Amino acid sequence: MDKFIKIFLAILFFICLAKMPYGYFQFVRFAGMVGFTILAFKAHEENRKTEMIVYISLAILFQPFFKIALGRQIWNIVDVIVGFGLLASLFMKSKVDRN
């Protein structure tokens, strides 16, 4: 399920680069918050504290209730970095997985 969430969120973030209606961005913020919260919970269950902190931080960044105004260009950069980070995390193994 983690892989599905990461791929789904990455696709949503890359689509943000296109000209989309405002409602799409609201959906992405909500989906990002929910997805990163689930990933943080799973990381906590597997005792991956660094990943948990990263996912909690991303959930806070993307949450739709108290919007963080960064401007379109900065948000595009954030979306690309987070999207590539999510895809890269699919190919990286944590220390827990190696043991």
Side-chain angles (χ1 to χ4, degrees):
M1 179 143 143
D2 287 1
K3 289 181 182 182
F4 172 77
I5 292 171
K6 290 178 180 182
I7 292 169
F8 178 72
L9 289 177
I11 290 169
L12 289 180
F13 294 144
F14 291 136
I15 293 173
C16 285
L17 299 175
K19 189 170 185 154
M20 301 297 287
Y22 185 70
Y24 176 77
F25 297 106
Q26 289 178 315
F27 169 73
V28 169
R29 292 174 76 91
F30 184 76
M33 180 191 67
V34 170
F36 288 129
T37 301
I38 293 169
L39 291 172
F41 181 74
K42 296 240 181 205
H44 173 69
E45 284 183 332
E46 297 172 7
N47 202 27
R48 298 184 325 237
K49 293 183 190 281
T50 304
E51 285 181 47
M52 180 188 71
I53 291 169
V54 169
Y55 291 137
I56 289 171
S57 300
L58 289 170
I60 291 169
L61 177 66
F62 283 97
Q63 57 79 28
F65 307 111
F66 302 104
K67 296 178 184 166
I68 299 170
L70 297 178
R72 172 102 175 155
Q73 289 180 340
I74 303 279
W75 271 114
N76 283 345
I77 293 168
V78 169
D79 290 337
V80 169
I81 291 170
V82 173
F84 278 125
L86 286 168
L87 294 178
S89 72
L90 294 172
F91 301 103
M92 298 166 46
K93 292 190 178 233
S94 69
K95 293 178 186 175
V96 174
D97 292 341
R98 286 186 233 152
N99 293 331

